[in-house]
Coordinates of all heavy atoms in Angstrom, one line a residue:
M228 N 3.4 -12.6 6.2 CA 3.4 -11.3 5.4 C 4.9 -11.0 5.1 O 5.7 -11.0 6.0 CB 2.8 -10.2 6.3 CG 2.9 -8.9 5.6 SD 2.2 -7.6 6.6 CE 3.6 -7.1 7.6
S229 N 5.1 -10.7 3.9 CA 6.5 -10.3 3.5 C 6.7 -8.8 3.8 O 5.7 -8.1 4.0 CB 6.7 -10.6 2.0 OG 6.0 -9.7 1.2
D230 N 8.0 -8.4 3.8 CA 8.2 -7.0 4.0 C 8.3 -6.2 2.7 O 8.8 -5.1 2.7 CB 9.5 -6.8 4.9 CG 10.7 -7.3 4.2 OD1 10.6 -8.0 3.1 OD2 11.8 -6.9 4.7
A231 N 7.9 -6.8 1.6 CA 8.0 -6.1 0.3 C 7.2 -4.7 0.3 O 7.6 -3.8 -0.3 CB 7.4 -7.0 -0.8
G232 N 6.1 -4.7 1.1 CA 5.3 -3.5 1.2 C 5.9 -2.3 2.0 O 5.4 -1.2 2.0
T233 N 7.1 -2.6 2.6 CA 7.7 -1.6 3.4 C 8.8 -0.8 2.6 O 9.3 0.2 3.1 CB 8.4 -2.2 4.7 OG1 9.4 -3.1 4.2 CG2 7.4 -2.9 5.6
H234 N 9.1 -1.3 1.4 CA 10.1 -0.7 0.5 C 9.4 0.0 -0.7 O 8.8 -0.7 -1.5 CB 11.1 -1.7 0.1 CG 11.9 -2.2 1.2 ND1 13.0 -1.6 1.8 CD2 11.8 -3.4 2.0 CE1 13.5 -2.3 2.8 NE2 12.7 -3.4 2.9
R235 N 9.6 1.3 -0.9 CA 9.0 2.0 -1.9 C 9.4 1.5 -3.3 O 8.5 1.5 -4.2 CB 9.4 3.5 -1.8 CG 8.6 4.4 -2.6 CD 9.0 5.9 -2.3 NE 8.1 6.8 -2.8 CZ 8.1 7.3 -4.0 NH1 9.0 7.0 -4.8 NH2 7.1 8.2 -4.3
E236 N 10.6 1.0 -3.5 CA 11.0 0.5 -4.8 C 10.2 -0.7 -5.3 O 10.2 -1.0 -6.5 CB 12.5 0.1 -4.7 CG 12.8 -1.1 -3.8 CD 14.2 -1.3 -3.4 OE1 15.0 -0.3 -3.5 OE2 14.6 -2.4 -3.1
N237 N 9.6 -1.4 -4.4 CA 8.8 -2.6 -4.8 C 7.4 -2.3 -5.2 O 6.7 -3.2 -5.7 CB 8.7 -3.6 -3.6 CG 10.0 -4.1 -3.1 OD1 10.9 -4.2 -3.9 ND2 10.1 -4.4 -1.9
I238 N 7.0 -1.0 -5.1 CA 5.6 -0.6 -5.4 C 5.6 0.3 -6.6 O 6.3 1.3 -6.6 CB 4.9 0.0 -4.1 CG1 5.0 -0.9 -3.0 CG2 3.5 0.5 -4.4 CD1 4.8 -0.3 -1.6
K239 N 4.7 0.0 -7.5 CA 4.6 0.8 -8.8 C 3.2 1.1 -9.0 O 2.3 0.5 -8.5 CB 5.1 -0.1 -10.0 CG 6.5 -0.7 -9.8 CD 7.6 0.2 -10.1 CE 8.9 -0.4 -10.2 NZ 9.6 -0.6 -8.9
K240 N 3.0 2.2 -9.7 CA 1.6 2.6 -10.1 C 1.0 1.4 -10.9 O 1.7 0.8 -11.8 CB 1.6 3.8 -11.0 CG 1.7 5.1 -10.3 CD 1.6 6.3 -11.3 CE 1.6 7.6 -10.6 NZ 1.4 8.7 -11.6
G241 N -0.2 1.1 -10.6 CA -0.9 0.0 -11.3 C -0.7 -1.3 -10.7 O -1.4 -2.3 -11.1
S242 N 0.2 -1.5 -9.7 CA 0.3 -2.7 -8.9 C -0.9 -3.1 -8.2 O -1.6 -2.2 -7.6 CB 1.5 -2.6 -8.0 OG 2.7 -2.5 -8.6
L243 N -1.3 -4.3 -8.1 CA -2.4 -4.8 -7.3 C -1.9 -5.1 -5.9 O -0.9 -5.9 -5.8 CB -3.0 -6.1 -8.0 CG -4.2 -6.7 -7.3 CD1 -5.4 -5.7 -7.2 CD2 -4.7 -7.9 -8.0
V244 N -2.4 -4.5 -4.9 CA -1.9 -4.6 -3.6 C -3.1 -4.8 -2.6 O -4.2 -4.5 -2.9 CB -1.1 -3.3 -3.2 CG1 0.1 -3.2 -4.0 CG2 -1.9 -2.1 -3.2
E245 N -2.7 -5.1 -1.4 CA -3.6 -5.1 -0.2 C -3.1 -4.1 0.7 O -1.9 -4.1 1.1 CB -3.7 -6.5 0.4 CG -4.4 -7.5 -0.4 CD -4.5 -8.9 0.3 OE1 -3.5 -9.2 1.0 OE2 -5.5 -9.6 0.1
I246 N -4.0 -3.2 1.2 CA -3.7 -2.1 2.1 C -4.5 -2.3 3.4 O -5.6 -2.9 3.4 CB -3.8 -0.7 1.5 CG1 -5.3 -0.4 1.2 CG2 -3.0 -0.5 0.3 CD1 -5.6 1.0 1.0
V247 N -4.0 -1.7 4.5 CA -4.8 -1.5 5.7 C -5.1 0.0 5.8 O -4.1 0.8 5.8 CB -4.2 -2.2 6.9 CG1 -2.9 -1.5 7.3 CG2 -5.1 -2.1 8.1
Q248 N -6.3 0.3 5.9 CA -6.7 1.7 6.1 C -6.6 2.1 7.5 O -6.7 1.2 8.4 CB -8.1 2.0 5.6 CG -8.3 1.7 4.1 CD -9.7 1.9 3.7 OE1 -10.2 3.0 3.7 NE2 -10.3 0.9 3.2
K249 N -6.4 3.4 7.8 CA -6.1 3.8 9.2 C -7.3 3.3 10.2 O -7.0 2.8 11.3 CB -6.0 5.3 9.3 CG -5.5 5.8 10.6 CD -5.1 7.2 10.6 CE -4.5 7.7 11.9 NZ -3.1 7.4 12.0
Q250 N -8.5 3.4 9.7 CA -9.6 3.0 10.6 C -9.7 1.5 10.8 O -10.4 1.0 11.6 CB -10.9 3.6 10.1 CG -11.4 3.0 8.8 CD -11.0 3.8 7.6 OE1 -9.9 4.4 7.6 NE2 -11.8 3.8 6.5
H251 N -8.9 0.7 10.0 CA -8.9 -0.7 10.1 C -7.6 -1.3 10.7 O -7.4 -2.5 10.7 CB -9.2 -1.4 8.7 CG -10.5 -1.0 8.2 ND1 -10.8 -0.9 6.8 CD2 -11.7 -0.8 8.8 CE1 -12.0 -0.6 6.6 NE2 -12.6 -0.5 7.8
Q252 N -6.8 -0.4 11.2 CA -5.5 -0.9 11.7 C -5.7 -1.9 12.9 O -5.0 -2.9 12.9 CB -4.6 0.3 12.2 CG -4.0 1.0 11.0 CD -3.2 2.2 11.4 OE1 -3.3 2.7 12.5 NE2 -2.3 2.7 10.5
R253 N -6.6 -1.6 13.8 CA -6.8 -2.6 14.9 C -7.3 -3.9 14.4 O -6.9 -4.9 14.9 CB -7.8 -2.0 15.9 CG -7.1 -0.9 16.7 CD -8.1 -0.4 17.8 NE -7.6 0.7 18.6 CZ -6.8 0.5 19.7 NH1 -6.5 -0.7 20.1 NH2 -6.4 1.6 20.4
S254 N -8.3 -3.9 13.5 CA -8.9 -5.2 13.1 C -8.0 -5.9 12.0 O -8.1 -7.1 11.9 CB -10.3 -4.9 12.5 OG -10.1 -4.2 11.2
G255 N -7.1 -5.1 11.4 CA -6.3 -5.7 10.3 C -7.0 -6.0 9.0 O -6.5 -6.7 8.2
E256 N -8.2 -5.4 8.9 CA -9.0 -5.7 7.7 C -8.2 -5.1 6.5 O -7.8 -3.9 6.5 CB -10.4 -5.0 7.8 CG -11.2 -5.2 6.6 CD -12.6 -4.4 6.7 OE1 -13.1 -4.3 7.8 OE2 -13.0 -4.0 5.6
L257 N -8.1 -5.9 5.4 CA -7.4 -5.5 4.2 C -8.3 -5.1 3.1 O -9.4 -5.6 3.0 CB -6.4 -6.6 3.8 CG -5.3 -7.0 4.7 CD1 -4.6 -8.2 4.2 CD2 -4.4 -5.9 5.1
T258 N -7.9 -4.1 2.3 CA -8.6 -3.6 1.1 C -7.7 -3.9 -0.1 O -6.5 -3.5 -0.1 CB -8.9 -2.1 1.3 OG1 -9.6 -1.9 2.5 CG2 -9.7 -1.6 0.1
E259 N -8.3 -4.5 -1.1 CA -7.5 -4.8 -2.3 C -7.8 -3.7 -3.4 O -8.9 -3.3 -3.5 CB -7.9 -6.2 -2.8 CG -7.1 -6.7 -3.9 CD -7.4 -8.1 -4.3 OE1 -7.3 -9.0 -3.5 OE2 -7.9 -8.3 -5.5
G260 N -6.7 -3.4 -4.1 CA -6.9 -2.4 -5.2 C -5.7 -2.1 -5.9 O -4.6 -2.7 -5.6
F261 N -5.8 -1.3 -7.0 CA -4.6 -0.9 -7.8 C -4.1 0.4 -7.3 O -4.8 1.4 -7.1 CB -5.1 -0.9 -9.3 CG -5.4 -2.2 -9.8 CD1 -6.8 -2.6 -9.9 CD2 -4.5 -3.1 -10.3 CE1 -7.1 -3.8 -10.4 CE2 -4.8 -4.3 -10.8 CZ -6.1 -4.7 -10.8
V262 N -2.8 0.5 -7.2 CA -2.1 1.7 -6.8 C -2.3 2.8 -7.8 O -1.9 2.6 -9.0 CB -0.6 1.5 -6.6 CG1 0.1 2.8 -6.2 CG2 -0.4 0.4 -5.5
Q263 N -2.8 4.0 -7.4 CA -2.9 5.1 -8.3 C -1.8 6.1 -8.0 O -1.2 6.6 -8.9 CB -4.2 5.8 -8.1 CG -4.4 7.0 -9.0 CD -5.8 7.7 -8.8 OE1 -6.2 7.9 -7.7 NE2 -6.4 8.0 -9.9
R264 N -1.5 6.3 -6.7 CA -0.4 7.2 -6.3 C 0.4 6.6 -5.1 O -0.3 6.0 -4.2 CB -1.0 8.6 -5.8 CG -1.5 9.4 -7.0 CD -2.1 10.8 -6.4 NE -1.1 11.5 -5.7 CZ -1.4 12.4 -4.7 NH1 -2.7 12.7 -4.5 NH2 -0.5 13.0 -4.0
I265 N 1.7 6.9 -5.0 CA 2.5 6.5 -3.9 C 2.6 7.8 -3.1 O 3.1 8.8 -3.5 CB 3.8 5.9 -4.3 CG1 3.6 4.7 -5.2 CG2 4.7 5.6 -3.1 CD1 4.9 4.2 -5.9
L266 N 2.2 7.7 -1.8 CA 2.2 8.9 -1.0 C 3.4 9.1 -0.1 O 3.8 10.2 0.3 CB 0.9 8.9 -0.1 CG -0.4 8.9 -0.9 CD1 -1.6 8.8 0.0 CD2 -0.6 10.1 -1.9
T267 N 4.0 8.0 0.3 CA 5.2 8.0 1.2 C 6.4 8.4 0.3 O 6.7 7.9 -0.7 CB 5.5 6.6 1.8 OG1 4.4 6.2 2.6 CG2 6.7 6.6 2.6
K268 N 7.1 9.4 0.8 CA 8.3 10.0 0.1 C 9.5 9.2 0.4 O 10.4 9.1 -0.5 CB 8.5 11.5 0.4 CG 7.3 12.4 0.1 CD 7.2 12.4 -1.4 CE 6.0 13.4 -1.8 NZ 5.3 13.0 -3.0
S269 N 9.7 8.7 1.6 CA 10.9 7.9 1.9 C 10.9 6.6 1.3 O 9.9 6.0 0.8 CB 11.0 7.8 3.4 OG 9.9 7.0 3.9
S270 N 12.1 6.0 1.2 CA 12.3 4.7 0.5 C 11.9 3.5 1.3 O 11.7 2.4 0.8 CB 13.8 4.5 0.1 OG 14.6 4.5 1.2
Y271 N 11.7 3.7 2.6 CA 11.3 2.7 3.6 C 10.4 3.2 4.6 O 10.6 4.3 5.1 CB 12.5 2.1 4.2 CG 12.2 1.1 5.3 CD1 11.9 -0.3 5.0 CD2 12.3 1.4 6.6 CE1 11.6 -1.2 6.0 CE2 12.0 0.6 7.6 CZ 11.7 -0.8 7.3 OH 11.4 -1.7 8.3
H272 N 9.4 2.4 5.0 CA 8.5 2.7 6.2 C 8.2 1.4 6.9 O 7.7 0.5 6.2 CB 7.3 3.5 5.8 CG 6.5 4.0 7.0 ND1 5.8 3.3 7.8 CD2 6.5 5.3 7.4 CE1 5.3 4.0 8.8 NE2 5.7 5.3 8.6
P273 N 8.5 1.3 8.2 CA 8.3 0.0 8.9 C 6.9 -0.5 8.9 O 6.7 -1.7 9.0 CB 8.8 0.3 10.3 CG 8.7 1.8 10.4 CD 8.9 2.3 9.1
H274 N 5.9 0.3 8.7 CA 4.5 -0.1 8.8 C 3.9 -0.3 7.4 O 2.7 -0.6 7.2 CB 3.6 0.8 9.6 CG 4.1 0.9 11.0 ND1 4.1 -0.1 11.9 CD2 4.6 2.0 11.7 CE1 4.5 0.3 13.0 NE2 4.9 1.5 13.0
G275 N 4.7 0.0 6.3 CA 4.2 -0.1 5.0 C 4.2 1.2 4.3 O 3.9 2.3 4.9
I276 N 4.4 1.2 3.0 CA 4.4 2.5 2.2 C 2.9 2.9 2.0 O 2.1 2.1 1.7 CB 5.0 2.2 0.8 CG1 6.5 1.8 1.0 CG2 4.9 3.4 -0.1 CD1 7.4 2.8 1.7
K277 N 2.7 4.2 2.2 CA 1.3 4.7 2.1 C 1.0 5.0 0.7 O 1.8 5.6 0.0 CB 1.1 6.0 3.0 CG -0.4 6.4 3.1 CD -0.5 7.6 3.9 CE -0.5 7.3 5.4 NZ -0.9 8.5 6.2
V278 N -0.2 4.5 0.2 CA -0.6 4.7 -1.2 C -2.0 5.1 -1.3 O -2.8 4.9 -0.3 CB -0.4 3.4 -2.0 CG1 1.1 3.0 -2.1 CG2 -1.2 2.2 -1.5
M279 N -2.4 5.6 -2.4 CA -3.8 5.9 -2.7 C -4.2 4.9 -3.9 O -3.5 4.8 -4.9 CB -4.0 7.3 -3.2 CG -5.5 7.6 -3.6 SD -5.7 9.2 -4.3 CE -5.5 10.2 -2.9
L280 N -5.3 4.2 -3.6 CA -5.8 3.2 -4.6 C -6.6 4.0 -5.7 O -7.0 5.1 -5.5 CB -6.6 2.2 -4.0 CG -6.0 1.3 -2.9 CD1 -7.0 0.3 -2.4 CD2 -4.7 0.6 -3.4
D281 N -6.9 3.3 -6.8 CA -7.7 3.9 -7.8 C -9.1 4.2 -7.4 O -9.8 5.0 -8.0 CB -7.7 3.1 -9.1 CG -8.2 1.6 -8.9 OD1 -8.5 1.3 -7.7 OD2 -8.3 0.9 -9.9
T282 N -9.5 3.7 -6.2 CA -10.8 3.9 -5.6 C -10.7 5.1 -4.6 O -11.7 5.4 -3.9 CB -11.3 2.7 -4.9 OG1 -10.3 2.3 -3.9 CG2 -11.6 1.5 -5.8
K283 N -9.6 5.8 -4.6 CA -9.3 6.9 -3.7 C -9.1 6.5 -2.2 O -9.0 7.4 -1.4 CB -10.4 8.0 -3.8 CG -10.6 8.5 -5.2 CD -9.4 9.2 -5.8 CE -9.7 9.8 -7.1 NZ -8.7 9.6 -8.1
E284 N -9.1 5.2 -1.9 CA -8.9 4.8 -0.5 C -7.4 4.9 -0.3 O -6.6 4.6 -1.2 CB -9.4 3.3 -0.3 CG -10.9 3.2 -0.5 CD -11.3 1.8 -0.6 OE1 -10.9 1.1 -1.6 OE2 -12.2 1.4 0.2
V285 N -7.0 5.3 0.9 CA -5.6 5.5 1.3 C -5.3 4.5 2.5 O -6.1 4.3 3.4 CB -5.4 6.9 1.8 CG1 -4.0 7.1 2.3 CG2 -5.6 7.9 0.6
G286 N -4.1 3.9 2.3 CA -3.7 3.0 3.4 C -2.2 2.6 3.2 O -1.6 3.0 2.2
R287 N -1.7 1.8 4.1 CA -0.4 1.3 4.0 C -0.4 -0.1 3.4 O -1.2 -1.0 3.8 CB 0.3 1.3 5.4 CG 0.4 2.7 5.9 CD 1.4 2.8 7.1 NE 1.5 4.1 7.6 CZ 2.3 5.1 7.0 NH1 3.0 4.8 6.0 NH2 2.3 6.3 7.5
V288 N 0.6 -0.4 2.5 CA 0.7 -1.6 1.8 C 1.1 -2.7 2.7 O 2.1 -2.6 3.4 CB 1.7 -1.5 0.6 CG1 1.8 -2.9 -0.1 CG2 1.2 -0.5 -0.4
K289 N 0.3 -3.8 2.7 CA 0.6 -5.0 3.5 C 1.1 -6.1 2.6 O 1.9 -6.9 3.0 CB -0.6 -5.4 4.4 CG -0.9 -4.4 5.5 CD 0.2 -4.2 6.4 CE 0.0 -3.2 7.4 NZ 1.1 -2.8 8.2
N290 N 0.5 -6.2 1.5 CA 0.9 -7.3 0.5 C 0.9 -6.8 -0.9 O 0.0 -6.0 -1.3 CB -0.1 -8.5 0.6 CG -0.1 -9.1 2.0 OD1 0.9 -9.6 2.5 ND2 -1.3 -9.2 2.6
I291 N 1.8 -7.2 -1.7 CA 1.8 -6.9 -3.1 C 1.4 -8.2 -3.8 O 2.0 -9.2 -3.7 CB 3.2 -6.5 -3.6 CG1 3.7 -5.2 -2.9 CG2 3.2 -6.3 -5.1 CD1 5.1 -4.8 -3.1
I292 N 0.2 -8.1 -4.5 CA -0.4 -9.3 -5.1 C 0.2 -9.5 -6.5 O 0.6 -10.6 -6.9 CB -1.9 -9.2 -5.1 CG1 -2.4 -9.1 -3.7 CG2 -2.5 -10.4 -5.9 CD1 -3.9 -8.7 -3.6
E293 N 0.2 -8.4 -7.3 CA 0.7 -8.5 -8.6 C 1.3 -7.2 -9.1 O 0.7 -6.1 -8.9 CB -0.5 -8.9 -9.6 CG -0.1 -9.1 -11.0 CD -1.3 -9.5 -11.8 OE1 -2.2 -10.2 -11.4 OE2 -1.4 -9.0 -13.0
D294 N 2.5 -7.3 -9.6 CA 3.2 -6.1 -10.1 C 2.9 -6.0 -11.6 O 3.4 -6.8 -12.4 CB 4.6 -6.1 -9.8 CG 5.4 -4.8 -10.2 OD1 4.8 -4.0 -10.8 OD2 6.5 -4.7 -9.8
N295 N 2.1 -5.0 -12.1 CA 1.8 -4.9 -13.5 C 2.8 -4.3 -14.4 O 2.7 -4.2 -15.6 CB 0.5 -4.2 -13.7 CG -0.7 -4.9 -13.1 OD1 -0.6 -6.1 -12.8 ND2 -1.8 -4.3 -13.0
N296 N 3.9 -3.8 -13.8 CA 4.9 -3.1 -14.6 C 6.2 -4.0 -14.7 O 6.6 -4.7 -14.0 CB 5.3 -1.8 -13.9 CG 4.2 -0.8 -14.0 OD1 3.3 -0.9 -14.8 ND2 4.2 0.1 -13.1

C-alpha cells in the first residue's frame, strides 16, 4: 500500500479510490468508489484522508486507483 492516501493533495473530487469504512477497520475490507467530498481538513492523516464516496459511504482512503482530474 502506498502512502498517497494519507496526503490530502493527492485526492481530488471524482478520483476512484478504495476506502476502509470504520466498521471494517479490523477486517480491512475495502470499498471502491468515486470521491464526492473530502472530509479531512488537515493536509495529512496517518490512517488516510477521510472522504465521502458518491454512494454516501464514508471512510479513509487506502488506495488511489485513478485520478480523474
Side-chain angles (χ1 to χ4, degrees):
M228 177 181 87
S229 72
D230 66 346
T233 61
H234 295 277
R235 195 173 194 274
E236 66 194 24
N237 297 330
I238 301 164
K239 309 277 188 274
K240 278 186 177 179
S242 294
L243 182 60
V244 298
E245 288 181 326
I246 64 167
V247 63
Q248 297 178 66
K249 190 166 185 88
Q250 67 268 30
H251 296 148
Q252 282 176 343
R253 285 186 184 270
S254 69
E256 181 185 328
L257 297 176
T258 305
E259 188 176 299
F261 293 98
V262 176
Q263 183 179 43
R264 287 180 55 206
I265 300 172
L266 303 176
T267 299
K268 298 293 182 211
S269 62
S270 62
Y271 172 82
H272 192 286
H274 300 297
I276 299 298
K277 190 179 279 188
V278 298
M279 178 185 289
L280 301 181
D281 56 358
T282 56
K283 305 295 187 225
E284 294 165 304
V285 173
R287 295 197 181 274
V288 175
K289 293 299 174 189
N290 298 304
I291 300 172
I292 299 169
E293 186 181 319
D294 186 350
N295 290 347
N296 295 336

